[in-house]
Every structure is written in structure tokens, then in C-alpha cells.
Amino acid sequence: MTSRALQHRRLHNLLLIQKLLSLRDASSPFTLVLDSVEQSAGPLVRRFIQSAKASKTDVVFVSYETLKPPEGVTAFVKARRKDPEAVKKEIEKVVASERRTLLILDTLYPLTTSPHPFSLPSFLSSLLSSSPNTSLLAIYHTDIPSPSPSPSSNSSTPYQYYPTPLPLLHYLATTLLTPHSFPHLLAAKRAREKSTPAPLFGVEEGREGILVGIGANDKTGYVIEMEYRRKSGRGVEEWFFLEYEGKGGEGIVLLEDREEWRGIVEREEEGHLREEGTFELGLTGKQRGEREGVVLPYFDAQKGEGGEGGRILYDMGVEDDFDEEEDEI
């Protein structure tokens, strides 16, 4: 990819994540956040609330596990141990149809464990259809095991082949946001560049008593893996680094532009070269940019539409030793 195309992708995707956070133009009716104990969705949800407050959008927070209302919410609906229909009626009371509203569900787990014939897709669709100006932000904890369908002796039950909640939510969501711990990704990249097994953190370590790994929920920042689905069906995927204390669209860069991420291997290689030699063998940032912008001859050959077809032409100079016999061969 040329430097111009890289710059276009960088600018486009940064504008897209800012548009999603600021809830402009109803770009994503249903945003699903897939978090874990290693990286909570709390900082990201606070960004959404701050952006909604700045754009004068009402924020309705539906609480299944949150005890106190977060700062900046317009209405706080307590849904713990309540029937989904009762929760829906309480939400309809506080949602104004003429105003833009951000509806936040702090966890979907109680809804995924509701017995049949309750339908999670119908419930979520009804929340969006109650007001055309409503956007839904829901959190799904990936480290909580999904409920398995109860066995039934009657093979003709209509729910026998019903999909599990997570694939169903993946299908319904218009945007998927997955928070990751930045220190954990750095450790995995170091291992990958050295062709060694990636380290495990938290429960995956398999050690008794360890639930959260070192570096989880780091206060400097976190990484967001975004998958945005356009109306045409085409998806946009990107990785971002968000500062922990950032507000709205501030403090957001592409992960590949983060200094620690980009220079982790380069610094190791340059440090090794400096130890081995007496002169500089590494590349500066300007030299790397110029190297990425070089178009090699075989690029034209791959396009198949003009160019020299990948031919390399050589003009002999006065210092070249011309041999007629070799030239004939």
C-alpha cells in the first residue's frame, strides 16, 4: 500500500471512530461492546456518555449490575431481577421520541439467560423501534460462559437449533467494539516477532487463585478493535489506541501509529546493531516513510494495465566491460 493510500485509510478510519463515539447521523443503531476482566468496557462507556452529553443527547442507562448512576446520564433504570417486559415499559417511560437518545445496557447476560419463549432479538429490536432517534449500546462479557440450551426429550421443539447468544448478537450488531489491554498486546507482539509462544494472562494462565493478569485495565490507555458494518454489507476493520483519560474524540490514534507499538521491534534491532557496530545502521522515521513510498517495477506488472510489464532496463556506462560473446549468448 502506497503512502497516499495509507494516509487516506488513517484519516478515514479516525473520522469514522469519532463519528461513532459522537453518535452523529445515527451511523450505528446497535453497537455491541465485547469486554472481559482483562480490559473492561468502563472507560469506553464513559467516552460515549461524555460525547452524548456534549452533543446534547439524552443518555438512558439500564442497570443490571451497576449500583450507582454514572456521571452524565439523563435517566437511570434499575433492571436487576426484573422481567424483560417490565424493564421495557420503564425504558419507554423515560425515552423521549422527539430527542436523540443513547440507550446503554450495562450487561446482556441476564437477558441471554431468560427462559424461552423470550426472544433477545425481538427485545432489542423493540427498544430501537420505540423511537427512531434511539441508538443502542450494549455490553457483553465474553469471560462469562454462555448458557447452554437445556436438553429436551421432544425433538420437535422449535428452539432445538436456536443459535447461542454471542453469534446471534454478532449478526445483529451494526458495530462491534472489542477492548483489549495494551500491555497484553505488546507482550504478544514481542513474542510473535521473536517466534516464541504468546504469554497467557489471567484465568488462561491456569494458576490457582489468579483471575486477572498483570497489565489488565492499564491506566495509560487501552486498545479498541473495531468492526463497522455499512448498509451495503461491506465491513471496515481497524485497531485504535485510546487514552484512558481522553474525552469524546480526543486522544485517539491508530494502533500502528502508537510509538510503543511501532517501535518495539525496531528499537530492539537498532539497539543490537549499535552494540555490534561503530556506525548507525538503523533508519530514521523520515527514511522509513520514503522507503514505504517507493513504487517498485513489479507493481506495474501486477496491475496488468500498462507499465513496462516488470521489465528491468539497464543502460551500460563507460565503466562497464562489454563482451560481445556473452552478449550474443
Side-chain angles (χ1 to χ4, degrees):
M1 184 179 293
T2 63
S3 58
R4 184 176 180 180
L6 287 172
Q7 184 64 22
H8 175 75
R9 179 182 66 85
R10 180 181 291 107
L11 181 61
H12 174 270
N13 291 344
L14 283 174
L15 291 175
L16 177 58
I17 189 65
Q18 292 173 2
K19 182 179 179 180
L20 293 174
L21 290 173
S22 60
L23 308 173
R24 292 201 307 266
D25 306 328
S27 53
S28 178
F30 178 26
T31 301
L32 178 64
V33 181
L34 306 172
D35 76 339
S36 65
V37 293
E38 300 298 331
Q39 182 55 62
S40 169
L44 181 62
V45 173
R46 285 194 292 271
R47 273 187 180 263
F48 270 100
I49 295 175
Q50 292 165 357
S51 298
K53 187 177 179 180
S55 60
K56 298 181 180 180
T57 300
D58 292 342
V59 179
V60 178
F61 195 96
V62 182
S63 168
Y64 284 97
E65 60 184 14
T66 306
L67 300 179
K68 297 181 179 180
E71 183 180 355
V73 300
T74 309
F76 187 75
V77 178
K78 295 182 179 180
R80 184 178 177 85
R81 297 180 180 178
K82 291 184 179 180
D83 183 79
E85 288 300 322
V87 174
K88 179 183 174 182
K89 291 180 181 179
E90 290 191 33
I91 294 174
E92 291 175 348
K93 291 180 182 179
V94 296
V95 173
S97 59
E98 67 277 1
R99 289 181 57 85
R100 287 196 304 168
T101 304
L102 173 62
L103 181 61
I104 302 176
L105 303 179
D106 64 351
T107 179
L108 290 173
Y109 186 76
L111 297 175
T112 61
T113 57
S114 298
H116 294 299
F118 170 76
S119 174
L120 179 60
S122 300
F123 178 78
L124 297 178
S125 299
S126 64
L127 297 179
L128 293 173
S129 60
S130 60
S131 172
N133 298 320
T134 299
S135 298
L136 178 61
L137 175 68
I139 302 170
Y140 185 91
H141 303 313
T142 57
D143 45 11
I144 300 180
S146 299
S148 57
S150 57
S152 176
S153 57
N154 184 9
S155 59
S156 62
T157 173
Y159 306 108
Q160 182 180 6
Y161 302 106
Y162 201 74
T164 54
L166 187 55
L168 192 61
L169 292 169
H170 267 272
Y171 178 77
L172 295 174
T174 52
T175 301
L176 294 172
L177 299 177
T178 307
H180 296 277
S181 170
F182 186 52
H184 293 180
L185 291 181
L186 284 178
K189 187 184 180 194
R190 288 192 185 98
R192 186 167 59 251
E193 296 293 344
K194 295 179 180 179
S195 299
T196 58
L200 301 177
F201 299 95
V203 179
E204 295 181 352
E205 294 183 36
R207 298 183 181 181
E208 184 177 357
I210 296 181
L211 298 178
V212 182
I214 298 175
N217 298 296
D218 188 67
K219 297 300 182 181
T220 58
Y222 53 97
V223 176
I224 292 295
E225 179 186 357
M226 179 196 73
E227 181 182 346
Y228 172 71
R229 297 163 181 173
R230 298 178 177 176
K231 295 180 180 179
S232 62
R234 182 187 172 206
V236 179
E237 298 180 358
E238 191 57 87
W239 293 70
F240 301 94
F241 178 86
L242 284 73
E243 295 180 0
Y244 190 84
E245 298 295 338
K247 296 181 180 180
E250 301 175 356
I252 303 176
V253 296
L254 264 63
L255 178 60
E256 63 189 39
D257 292 337
R258 182 71 179 178
E259 183 181 355
E260 295 94 328
W261 180 265
R262 182 179 55 188
I264 181 173
V265 178
E266 295 173 353
R267 286 197 300 269
E268 292 178 358
E269 292 179 350
E270 291 176 1
H272 176 71
L273 291 173
R274 281 194 293 268
E275 293 176 0
E276 296 294 333
T278 58
F279 51 90
E280 182 65 40
L281 294 177
L283 296 176
T284 64
K286 180 181 179 181
Q287 290 170 338
R288 293 191 199 96
E290 293 175 350
R291 181 181 62 181
E292 292 175 357
V294 173
V295 180
L296 298 177
Y298 52 80
F299 285 172
D300 288 338
Q302 292 174 354
K303 295 179 182 178
E305 47 184 24
E308 295 294 333
R311 290 189 296 132
I312 299 177
L313 303 178
Y314 179 74
D315 294 329
M316 297 185 62
V318 294
E319 67 276 5
D320 292 320
D321 184 14
F322 179 74
D323 191 333
E324 295 183 356
E325 294 181 359
E326 291 183 0
D327 185 61
E328 291 177 359
I329 293 174

